[in-house]
């Protein structure tokens, strides 16, 4: 595997980002990207020298202060003050994987040559990425319009030698790390502070991180549902191709086909059934899981478009002799998408918990609470409580953030997206669903073992074998939280490759 990824004007794709993260690849700028950055900066410098009228964010104040002109002698101070004053994040620290994605996405956006930054500035961000210098960024503070101002300010404070960073897994004042790496703080030039702070990289980095996790959870949700279906002695007919071809939703058709495939060869699914129907949580898996997949397809298209866009302000178009102050920083596309993602993924958890409930309820020949001696053993009674609690929390978290807006900057920024709140909320929902699915897997594996000597399909038996290396069959009551945590860890560590 090549351990160097070159940033070019070409779009980034999911597999490239995943490789960069998993293979711990370094990044560099292509000659084409360097040329775009330098040409834009050179044109901007000439424009400032020859232009005697105010240009927003370049020789004016910001936001509601846009009418205040700034002298050429103070342009550098203007940009540095902007970064310092906007670093107002609070709350929990953003996890390092997401901060590293923020660096990657900011580098890519600046390299497209419409932001008017120095080549040195972009290369310094690359130095941070390649040396695992992770700026301390906080979860709270962005309104998701004018860009992710507060979190991006924290992201770029280290460029000017301020703020805090993690280096070699320890937190330091930035100045300490720069000294060790023999790096001098940058002097920001005209437009640079605004180019660095305006942008949607906090929201979009969360979106990328979430979707890389969600792509795997969608597959797990089908596999675990199929395992539960077999354990519950369910019917295969609701997954027949003919049923789904007459409705034509892509996700529904794909889900039914995948469930049929992974259940192929199961002794349990093929045996004669006494019951004529299954509950909706089993029978409607293609319809529910499929709708979630269709929603995720929409969200992934929005996020992929966003990470390959330029979202700062003002925008510089050297070829057109044009500087335009607009609103590409507004996070509405991401806000709606992150809300939609949270709502959709919460449904995976909701239907999963219902399948867990059915498995412990003592029906279809399974023992009550999935233990041989219920009464003296509570068995799997309380894991379902835990799943229900998390499902309920997800219902509260799924309330959209994007329907809210609080004006700021003396009403100059009078409509905001709240996309950052939607993104951090969606992250909690996705990780909650991971736990709910792990609990279902814990129950389904136990239930399958009560069906022995009959076997599930070769695919599911192999999956179970790997799971049983982490979590064993429950003979009697034990510390269940350890088994639940091990189940979550199994899902997180499972290597699809």
């Amino acid at each position: 595997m090549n351990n160097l990824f070159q940033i070019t004007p070409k779009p980034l794709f999911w597999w490239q980002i995943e490789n960069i993260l998993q293979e711990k690849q370094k990044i560099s700028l292509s000659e084409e990207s360097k040329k775009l950055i330098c040409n834009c900066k050179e044109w901007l410098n000439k424009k400032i020298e020859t232009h005697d009228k105010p240009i927003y964010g370049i020789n004016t104040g910001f936001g509601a202060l846009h009418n205040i002109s700034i002298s050429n002698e103070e342009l550098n101070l203007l940009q540095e003050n902007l970064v310092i004053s906007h670093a107002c994040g609070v709350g929990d620290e953003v996890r390092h994987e997401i901060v590293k994605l923020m660096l990657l996405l900011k580098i890519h956006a600046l390299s497209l040559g419409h932001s008017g930054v120095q080549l040195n500035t972009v290369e310094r961000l690359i130095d941070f990425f390649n040396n695992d210098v992770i700026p301390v960024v906080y979860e709270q503070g962005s309104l998701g319009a004018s860009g992710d101002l507060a979190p991006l300010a924290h992201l770029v404070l280290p460029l000017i030698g301020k703020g805090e960073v993690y280096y070699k897994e320890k937190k330091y004042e930035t100045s300490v790390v720069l000294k060790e790496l023999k790096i001098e703080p940058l002097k920001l030039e005209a437009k640079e502070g605004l180019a660095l702070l305006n942008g949607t990289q906090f929201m979009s980095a969360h979106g990328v991180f979430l979707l890389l996790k969600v792509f795997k959870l969608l597959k797990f949700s089908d596999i675990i549902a199929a395992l539960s279906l077999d354990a519950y002695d369910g019917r295969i007919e609701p997954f027949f191709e003919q049923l789904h071809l007459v409705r034509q939703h892509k996700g529904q058709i794909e889900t039914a086909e995948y469930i049929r495939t992974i259940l192929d060869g199961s002794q349990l699914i093929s045996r004669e059934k006494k019951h004529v129907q299954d509950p909706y949580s089993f029978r409607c898996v293609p319809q529910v899981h499929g709708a979630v997949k269709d929603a995720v397809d929409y969200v992934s298209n929005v996020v992929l478009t966003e990470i390959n866009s330029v979202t700062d302000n003002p925008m510089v178009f050297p070829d057109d002799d044009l500087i335009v102050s607009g609103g590409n920083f507004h996070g509405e596309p991401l806000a709606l998408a992150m809300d939609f993602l949270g709502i959709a993924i919460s449904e995976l958890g909701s239907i999963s918990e219902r399948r867990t409930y059915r498995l412990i309820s003592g029906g279809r020949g399974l023992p009550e609470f999935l233990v041989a001696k219920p009464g003296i053993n509570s068995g799997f009674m309380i894991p379902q409580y835990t799943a229900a609690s998390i499902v309920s929390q997800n219902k509260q978290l799924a309330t959209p953030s994007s329907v809210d807006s609080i004006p700021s900057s003396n009403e100059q920024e009078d409509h905001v997206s709240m996309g950052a709140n939607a993104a951090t909320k969606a992250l909690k929902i996705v990780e909650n669903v991971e736990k709910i699915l792990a609990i279902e897997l814990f129950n389904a594996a136990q239930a399958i073992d009560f069906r022995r000597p009959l076997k599930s399909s070769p695919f599911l038996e192999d999956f179970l074998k790997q799971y049983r290396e982490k979590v064993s069959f429950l003979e009697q009551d034990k510390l269940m939280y350890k088994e639940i945590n091990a189940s979550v860890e199994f899902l997180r560590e499972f290597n699809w490759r």
Side-chain angles (χ1 to χ4, degrees):
M1 174 67 68
N2 185 355
N3 206 38
L4 181 68
F5 180 83
Q6 195 167 67
I7 300 284
T8 73
K10 294 179 181 177
L12 290 170
F13 292 103
W14 298 117
W15 64 270
Q16 293 171 318
I17 297 172
E18 191 164 31
N19 279 344
I20 291 169
L21 297 178
Q22 289 188 353
E23 306 294 335
K24 299 188 184 301
Q25 290 181 324
K26 310 291 186 185
I27 59 175
S28 66
L29 288 173
S30 65
E31 290 303 315
E32 188 178 4
S33 293
K34 288 180 182 178
K35 186 177 179 181
L36 287 170
I37 294 167
C38 292
N39 287 350
C40 184
K41 178 61 176 168
E42 184 180 343
W43 180 88
L44 180 62
N45 285 343
K46 288 180 181 177
K47 176 63 72 173
I48 293 169
E49 288 172 10
T50 59
H51 200 77
D52 58 358
K53 292 183 180 179
I55 308 173
Y56 173 72
I58 295 172
N59 56 14
T60 73
F62 309 105
L65 303 177
H66 63 280
N67 291 321
I68 299 177
S69 295
I70 308 296
S71 68
N72 285 352
E73 294 74 26
E74 294 179 306
L75 295 186
N76 299 72
L77 181 61
L78 172 70
Q79 301 302 319
E80 185 170 314
N81 284 347
L82 175 71
V83 174
I84 293 170
S85 67
H86 282 53
C88 294
V90 294
D92 294 335
E93 293 180 8
V94 177
R95 63 189 67 188
H96 294 183
E97 304 99 311
I98 296 176
V99 176
K100 200 157 186 184
L101 279 168
M102 290 173 69
L103 285 170
L104 174 65
L105 299 183
K106 176 57 80 174
I107 290 162
H108 185 259
L110 296 175
S111 73
L112 294 173
H114 294 289
S115 301
V117 297
Q118 303 173 80
L119 179 61
N120 281 350
T121 300
V122 183
E123 289 183 330
R124 182 61 50 79
L125 291 172
I126 290 174
D127 288 339
F128 290 162
F129 186 94
N130 288 343
N131 287 289
D132 280 323
V133 177
I134 308 297
V136 175
V137 180
Y138 298 96
E139 275 196 354
Q140 294 172 304
S142 173
L143 297 174
S146 289
D148 291 310
L149 293 174
L152 288 176
H154 285 279
L155 184 77
V156 302
L157 271 176
L159 291 174
I160 58 174
K162 299 188 183 298
E164 295 175 302
V165 297
Y166 282 91
Y167 181 61
K168 295 180 179 177
E169 300 183 356
K170 291 185 179 180
K171 188 194 286 189
Y172 298 95
E173 290 291 327
T174 296
S175 56
V176 174
V177 175
L178 293 188
K179 186 175 181 180
E180 181 173 336
L181 295 173
K182 296 181 172 56
I183 293 175
E184 289 293 323
L186 286 176
K187 294 290 184 185
L188 297 181
E189 296 186 1
K191 168 73 167 70
E192 286 200 288
L194 204 56
L196 292 165
L197 268 57
N198 271 192
T200 60
Q201 284 78 31
F202 177 84
M203 291 176 277
S204 55
H206 276 79
V208 170
F209 181 82
L210 279 168
L211 284 164
L212 290 176
K213 184 180 280 287
V214 163
F215 295 152
K216 295 172 183 175
L217 286 185
L218 289 173
K219 205 164 187 179
F220 278 132
S221 68
D222 286 349
I223 292 169
I224 295 167
L227 192 63
S228 292
L229 181 71
D230 238 4
Y232 194 61
D233 196 27
R235 302 186 70 98
I236 195 63
E237 289 85 350
F239 301 87
F240 280 0
E241 182 181 32
Q242 297 91 327
L243 181 68
H244 305 286
L245 290 178
V246 296
R247 202 180 189 193
Q248 284 295 306
H249 288 294
K250 179 186 173 188
Q252 178 178 330
I253 293 169
E254 288 178 355
T255 301
E257 181 182 10
Y258 188 53
I259 298 284
R260 291 195 309 272
T261 300
I262 61 180
L263 280 170
D264 187 42
S266 168
Q267 295 172 353
L268 287 163
I269 203 70
S270 60
R271 69 176 181 170
E272 189 175 346
K273 312 294 179 181
K274 294 179 180 178
H275 46 277
V276 296
Q277 274 192 342
D278 291 324
Y280 286 5
S281 55
F282 293 95
R283 199 190 335 161
C284 300
V285 165
Q287 290 79 6
V288 176
H289 288 202
V292 174
K293 289 172 187 173
D294 290 340
V296 170
D297 277 350
Y298 164 76
V299 173
S300 66
N301 285 330
V302 171
V303 173
L304 204 59
T305 298
E306 190 74 2
I307 66 175
N308 289 299
S309 303
V310 184
T311 55
D312 62 88
N313 182 63
M315 304 283 284
V316 183
F317 299 94
D319 292 345
D320 300 311
D321 192 29
L322 190 64
I323 299 174
V324 181
S325 180
N328 275 8
F329 49 65
H330 199 292
E332 195 72 8
L334 288 171
L336 292 170
M338 290 298 99
D339 278 337
F340 194 16
L341 183 66
I343 291 167
I345 297 302
S346 69
E347 280 294 273
L348 279 187
S350 179
I351 195 170
S352 170
E353 182 276 331
R354 289 292 81 197
R355 292 191 295 263
T356 296
Y357 171 78
R358 292 289 180 176
L359 291 173
I360 65 171
S361 61
R364 302 273 175 98
L366 292 171
E368 202 169 14
F369 302 120
L370 298 177
V371 283
K373 295 182 179 179
I376 193 169
N377 292 297
S378 294
F380 283 72
M381 180 190 294
I382 305 303
Q384 184 264 329
Y385 281 45
T386 303
S389 166
I390 300 170
V391 168
S392 180
Q393 185 183 63
N394 277 353
K395 291 175 185 177
Q396 298 153 29
L397 290 170
T399 301
S401 295
S402 54
V403 296
D404 184 36
S405 177
I406 299 176
S408 58
S409 194
N410 282 1
E411 297 274 357
Q412 176 71 5
E413 297 162 14
D414 58 351
H415 182 275
V416 297
S417 75
M418 298 300 179
N421 289 348
T424 54
K425 202 158 53 66
L427 177 57
K428 291 182 174 66
I429 291 171
V430 168
E431 293 192 328
N432 277 348
V433 170
E434 186 176 55
K435 296 168 190 168
I436 297 165
L437 288 172
I439 290 171
E440 183 187 355
L441 173 58
F442 185 30
N443 281 263
Q446 181 80 1
I448 280 282
D449 280 341
F450 281 107
R451 300 296 187 189
R452 301 305 183 198
L454 293 176
K455 288 187 175 182
S456 186
S457 68
F459 178 94
L460 290 176
E461 289 291 346
D462 180 63
F463 185 74
L464 271 171
K465 182 181 177 182
Q466 294 181 66
Y467 177 68
R468 282 294 181 228
E469 291 172 5
K470 288 265 188 184
V471 180
S472 58
F473 179 79
L474 188 80
E475 298 284 355
Q476 58 187 18
D477 283 349
K478 61 193 299 188
L479 291 173
M480 301 294 266
Y481 75 92
K482 291 186 176 182
E483 307 301 295
I484 294 171
N485 288 338
S487 299
V488 173
E489 204 62 34
F490 172 78
L491 296 185
R492 288 180 180 168
E493 293 180 351
F494 192 83
N495 189 355
W496 288 106
R497 295 185 179 186

